[in-house]
């Protein structure tokens, strides 16, 4: 009978090993569950923390959206079911938040007159108009003033913490009215501590003067207005608003002002059309912004010319970068060429430099007097003074910046083409160029055609290449709005955010139009590339 081995003597009983294995499995599952609980708890906690603020601001849509997202996350990851959803939910949420929602928001803004002077509501505009009419009387009550905020010290929302100079009682006033504030701490006649508010220093009050200029606290028959940094007065308002008739009346002259549409904005005007104030408000204008794009002579007169150049710019940018990148990729794919990796590293360098730096450098290269190109080649070309030369400069710069990307794409596509197809073409008697044209190039297009379409869509709205290089110029004295190298996005941006102030509603309408144009052109291009499927 054989003696038991050492391994047999030291081996643990089977039940012990089984318990240890189960314990190890449990330990491996504890950490993922703990992480899941912490992350889901964090999501619920953030939603709960934001709820009071959103309710106070009456942001009901945002409130519902946050809790719907939180509910979807909890329902997806709190159980072991719906395994595919665990992978799909993050992508769908990111798609909705960063693609779908901005598109919907842009479309909504395009139906309004939102912009400089029309950012607030009608009620806010009326309050500012009434507040601007406050006049100080000889017996106007005075208050010691401390400015506070529940938000930003520069943008508000602001409140006035007031101490009556006669009764020394403390009050808090905002756009809704004036209320007693016994919880405030008063020192030397000024509120120095106020629960729930952040007091501004005199320097911060001075920095926020632009925001405080139209801020008033309404009272019975008057309003409280700032008088210096540390004092306020209660004056009488000469303008009164009647909500029933939607009119503003000047109590001194008896003149009535009613809302009237002028252009894309509404103002309170009298019977002769004179405004009571240059104060408008955000309102829905329907399709007026879209009508303006196609009927405004300033836009329609240059639209077709700029649209044609936009198509030409996008097409030539794609064609030149693709042909140069393909040529270099085909050359460096020849196994007889030595040092391929060094050549490829050098060719990729332009792609590694940030785009805005390359554009600014090339802008200096094209300088007529001191630029590298004229100095090196002994030329005297005014690149940015002539529309044709400016367009050539833009295309050359875009070629420099774009060919490394096409080179990398074509290199990858060429390596994926089987060598036996090339050998079969050579056996059939095809020359090197004929084999490339009839075999390699069609198969390469199958792989790179979608990338060419996306590159065209990118260059169709390539704002940086135009603005950082030429700013859309050159311009003529007769037409300082439409430049020689402007594409649609740069041209419309100048109209929407030019000297007349920001017209965000109009700019949103233009963005929607460009989105549709780009989508239609891309769809046509993708439809045309279906013929390449037969090649594959």
């Amino acid at each position: 009978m054989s003696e038991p081995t050492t391994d047999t003597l030291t081996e643990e009983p089977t039940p012990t090993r089984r318990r240890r294995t189960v314990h190890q499995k449990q330990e491996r599952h504890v950490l993922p569950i703990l992480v899941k609980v912490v992350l889901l708890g964090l999501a619920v906690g953030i939603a709960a923390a934001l709820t009071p603020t959103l309710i106070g601001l009456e942001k009901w849509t945002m409130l519902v959206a946050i809790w719907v997202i939180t509910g979807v996350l909890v329902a997806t990851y709190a159980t072991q079911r719906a395994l595919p959803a665990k992978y799909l939910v993050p992508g769908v949420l990111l798609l909705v938040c960063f693609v779908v929602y901005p598109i919907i928001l842009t479309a909504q803004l395009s139906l309004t007159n939102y912009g400089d002077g029309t950012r607030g509501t009608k009620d806010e505009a009326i309050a500012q108009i009434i507040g601007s009419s406050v006049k100080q009387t000889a017996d106007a009550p005075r208050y010691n003033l401390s400015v506070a905020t529940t938000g930003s010290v520069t943008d508000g929302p602001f409140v006035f913490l007031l101490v009556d100079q006669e009764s020394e009682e403390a009050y808090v006033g905002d756009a809704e009215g004036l209320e007693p504030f016994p919880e405030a701490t008063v020192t030397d006649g000024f509120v120095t501590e106020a629960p729930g508010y952040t007091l501004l220093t005199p320097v911060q009050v001075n920095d926020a003067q632009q925001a405080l200029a139209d801020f008033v606290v309404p009272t019975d028959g008057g309003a409280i207005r700032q008088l210096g940094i540390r004092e306020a007065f209660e004056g009488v308002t000469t303008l009164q608003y009647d909500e029933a008739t939607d009119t503003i009346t000047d109590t001194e002259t008896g003149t009535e002002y009613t809302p009237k549409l002028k252009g894309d904005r509404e103002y309170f005007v009298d019977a002769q059309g004179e405004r009571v104030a240059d104060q408008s408000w955000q309102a829905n204008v329907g399709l007026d912004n879209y009508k303006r794009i196609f009927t405004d002579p300033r836009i329609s007169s240059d639209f077709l010319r700029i649209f044609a150049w936009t198509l030409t710019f996008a097409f030539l940018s794609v064609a030149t970068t693709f042909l140069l990148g393909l040529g270099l990729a085909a050359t460096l794919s020849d196994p007889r060429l030595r040092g391929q990796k060094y050549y490829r590293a050098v060719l990729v360098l332009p792609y590694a430099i940030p785009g805005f730096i390359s554009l600014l450098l090339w802008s200096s290269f094209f300088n007529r007097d001191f630029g590298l190109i004229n100095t090196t080649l002994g030329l005297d070309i005014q690149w940015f003074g002539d529309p044709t030369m400016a367009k050539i400069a833009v295309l050359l710069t875009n070629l420099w910046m774009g060919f490394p990307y096409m080179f990398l794409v074509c290199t990858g596509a060429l390596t994926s083409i089987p060598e036996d197809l090339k050998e079969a073409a050579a056996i059939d008697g095809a020359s090197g160029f004929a084999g490339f044209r009839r075999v390699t190039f069609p198969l390469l297009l199958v792989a790179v055609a979608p990338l060419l379409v996306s590159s065209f869509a990118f260059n169709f709205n390539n704002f940086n290449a135009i603005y950082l290089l030429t700013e859309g110029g050159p311009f003529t004295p007769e037409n300082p709005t439409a430049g020689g190298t402007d594409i649609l996005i740069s041209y419309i941006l100048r109209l929407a955010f030019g000297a007349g102030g920001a017209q965000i509603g109009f700019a949103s309408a233009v963005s929607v139009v460009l989105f549709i144009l780009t989508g239609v052109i891309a769809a046509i291009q993708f439809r045309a590339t279906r013929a390449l499927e037969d090649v594959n």
Side-chain angles (χ1 to χ4, degrees):
M1 186 173 182
S2 61
E3 295 292 332
T5 62
T6 304
D7 293 340
T8 305
L9 292 174
T10 59
E11 190 176 85
E12 295 179 348
T14 301
T16 304
R17 292 202 310 270
R18 189 173 299 164
R19 285 195 298 270
R20 176 173 293 182
T21 302
V22 172
H23 183 66
Q24 290 174 347
K25 289 182 179 180
Q26 291 176 345
E27 287 182 343
R28 287 198 298 268
H29 285 82
V30 168
L31 183 59
I33 294 175
L34 182 62
V35 172
K36 184 188 299 184
V37 170
V38 171
L39 292 179
L40 291 178
L42 182 62
V44 174
I46 292 174
L50 292 175
T51 297
T53 302
L54 294 175
I55 292 177
L57 297 175
E58 297 183 355
K59 301 290 185 180
W60 308 116
T61 303
M62 184 66 69
L63 179 63
V64 172
I66 288 177
W67 278 108
V68 167
I69 292 174
T70 304
V72 169
L73 291 175
V74 172
T76 302
Y77 294 101
T79 65
Q80 298 296 329
R81 301 178 181 179
L83 183 61
K86 298 180 188 298
Y87 298 95
L88 294 176
V89 166
V92 172
L93 288 179
L94 292 175
L95 177 68
V96 171
C97 292
F98 295 105
V99 178
V100 177
Y101 176 69
I103 292 175
I104 295 175
L105 183 62
T106 302
Q108 289 177 341
L109 285 176
S110 69
L111 303 177
T112 69
N113 62 350
Y114 185 69
D116 285 350
T118 56
R119 297 178 185 267
T121 63
K122 184 177 181 180
D123 291 338
E124 292 173 343
I126 292 173
Q128 291 184 0
I129 293 173
I130 301 300
S132 63
S133 70
V134 176
K135 290 186 176 181
Q136 185 177 5
T137 59
D139 57 347
R142 297 290 185 95
Y143 299 89
N144 293 332
L145 171 65
S146 298
V147 181
T149 180
T150 55
S152 169
V153 296
T154 56
D155 301 321
F158 297 106
V159 296
F160 283 171
L161 302 178
L162 306 166
V163 177
D164 193 310
Q165 293 183 353
E166 295 184 0
S167 64
E168 296 186 355
E169 294 182 358
Y171 299 89
V172 57
D174 55 17
E176 302 296 327
L178 187 68
E179 295 180 357
F181 194 26
E183 298 86 359
T185 301
V186 179
T187 305
D188 296 331
F190 291 89
V191 174
T192 54
E193 291 184 14
Y197 298 99
T198 301
L199 273 69
L200 276 65
T201 65
V203 174
Q204 291 172 335
V205 173
N206 186 64
D207 293 339
Q209 278 304 307
Q210 185 174 359
L212 292 170
D214 296 325
F215 182 77
V216 295
V217 178
T219 59
D220 294 335
I224 298 175
R225 195 179 185 89
Q226 186 180 9
L227 182 65
I229 293 179
R230 301 285 282 171
E231 193 174 18
F233 71 92
E234 182 177 358
V236 295
T237 55
T238 59
L239 298 176
Q240 292 184 353
Y241 175 69
D242 187 351
E243 187 175 357
T245 59
D246 194 19
T247 59
I248 292 178
T249 304
D250 189 329
T251 57
E252 293 182 342
T253 63
T255 306
E256 287 190 352
Y257 299 88
T258 57
K260 185 176 181 181
L261 185 65
K262 288 192 173 184
D264 62 343
R265 301 187 179 190
E266 278 188 294
Y267 300 93
F268 278 95
V269 298
D270 59 14
Q272 289 73 37
E274 296 294 329
R275 303 175 189 174
V276 65
D278 290 331
Q279 181 67 45
S280 186
W281 52 89
Q282 181 180 345
N284 292 325
V285 296
L287 299 177
D288 288 352
N289 288 324
Y290 294 94
K291 294 178 182 177
R292 179 184 170 191
I293 296 174
F294 301 104
T295 60
D296 191 329
R298 297 182 307 157
I299 303 174
S300 58
S301 60
D302 297 299
F303 185 85
L304 291 178
R305 174 181 65 82
I306 295 178
F307 179 66
W309 160 240
T310 303
L311 290 175
T312 303
F313 166 72
F315 173 78
L316 291 179
S317 295
V318 175
T320 55
T321 55
F322 173 66
L323 292 176
L324 180 58
L326 175 60
L328 293 172
T331 302
L332 293 179
S333 64
D334 192 331
R336 297 171 296 178
L337 184 64
R338 296 181 179 180
Q340 294 182 7
K341 60 181 180 180
Y342 300 107
Y343 291 123
R344 288 171 178 167
V346 172
L347 291 175
V348 173
L349 283 179
Y351 192 54
I353 302 174
F356 74 95
I357 293 179
S358 296
L359 289 168
L360 294 176
L361 285 175
W362 276 90
S363 179
S364 65
F365 290 166
F366 286 113
N367 185 279
R368 179 178 183 179
D369 299 319
F370 310 105
L372 180 66
I373 296 178
N374 282 357
T375 303
T376 304
L377 302 179
L379 303 176
D380 188 29
I381 300 176
Q382 189 175 2
W383 292 96
F384 296 152
D386 179 74
T388 302
M389 299 308 299
K391 291 176 181 177
I392 293 175
V394 170
L395 291 173
L396 287 175
T397 304
N398 225 26
L399 174 62
W400 164 263
M401 297 178 59
F403 86 86
Y405 170 75
M406 292 298 180
F407 167 72
L408 292 174
V409 168
C410 292
T411 299
L414 287 174
T415 56
S416 65
I417 298 176
E419 289 293 333
D420 54 355
L421 294 179
K422 302 177 184 179
E423 294 174 359
I427 293 174
D428 289 341
S431 62
F433 179 75
F436 178 84
R437 181 172 63 87
R438 295 179 179 274
V439 178
T440 305
F441 187 70
L443 292 174
L444 179 131
L445 280 182
V446 174
V448 303
L451 297 176
L452 296 179
V453 174
S454 63
S455 181
F456 180 90
F458 170 78
N459 283 287
F460 191 85
N461 293 311
N462 194 350
F463 174 78
N464 288 342
I466 301 299
Y467 186 79
L468 294 178
L469 197 64
T470 65
E471 296 186 359
F475 300 93
T476 61
E478 298 80 16
N479 192 357
T481 304
T485 57
D486 263 326
I487 59 176
L488 286 176
I489 186 65
S490 62
Y491 171 56
I492 300 299
L493 186 73
R494 188 177 300 108
L495 291 177
F497 298 95
Q503 304 174 60
I504 299 175
F506 176 66
S508 299
V510 174
S511 299
V512 172
V513 172
L514 291 182
F515 172 76
I516 294 174
L517 283 175
T518 306
V520 170
I521 294 173
I524 294 173
Q525 291 173 328
F526 275 119
R527 186 177 182 85
T529 58
R530 287 184 180 179
L532 298 173
E533 297 178 0
D534 297 334
V535 176
N536 198 28

